[in-house]
């Protein structure tokens, strides 16, 4: 994946998404109607810790569950 457009596409068809490669240390999770209320499993295989939407973290090799409540993403 290489951007928010890719994440939006992935989240619209899958509940388990693995992030790989790239050099970014931050990512923005999409806020579209197709993600509201869905639990998304996000795995970090990028080789670096990530900050998601400025307040959520995803360590190297970690898989976490997130849900978008229509307003914000929340780790569960």
């Amino acid at each position: 994946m290489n951007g928010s457009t890719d994440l939006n596409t992935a989240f619209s068809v899958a509940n388990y998404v693995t992030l790989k490669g790239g050099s970014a240390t931050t990512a923005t999770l999409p806020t579209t109607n197709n993600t509201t209320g869905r639990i998304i499993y996000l795995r970090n295989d990028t080789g670096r810790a990530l900050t998601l939407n400025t307040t959520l973290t995803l360590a190297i090799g970690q898989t976490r569950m997130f849900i978008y409540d229509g307003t914000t993403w929340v780790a569960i």
Side-chain angles (χ1 to χ4, degrees), residues 2-28:
N2 58 19
S4 294
T5 300
D6 290 341
L7 280 175
N8 189 35
T9 300
F11 285 6
S12 70
V13 297
N15 288 347
Y16 188 100
V17 177
T18 300
L19 303 173
K20 295 185 175 201
S23 59
T25 57
T26 62
T28 301

Side-chain angles (χ1 to χ4, degrees), residues 19 24-29 44 48-59:
L19 303 173
T25 57
T26 62
T28 301
L29 301 177
N44 180 6
R48 63 197 47 81
L50 294 173
T51 300
L52 310 169
N53 292 17
T54 70
T55 59
L56 303 169
T57 59
L58 195 59

Side-chain angles (χ1 to χ4, degrees), residues 32-50:
T32 59
N33 287 337
N34 66 352
T35 58
T36 301
R38 287 183 50 216
I39 294 173
I40 302 290
Y41 294 83
L42 196 57
R43 177 163 176 81
N44 180 6
D45 282 347
T46 64
R48 63 197 47 81
L50 294 173

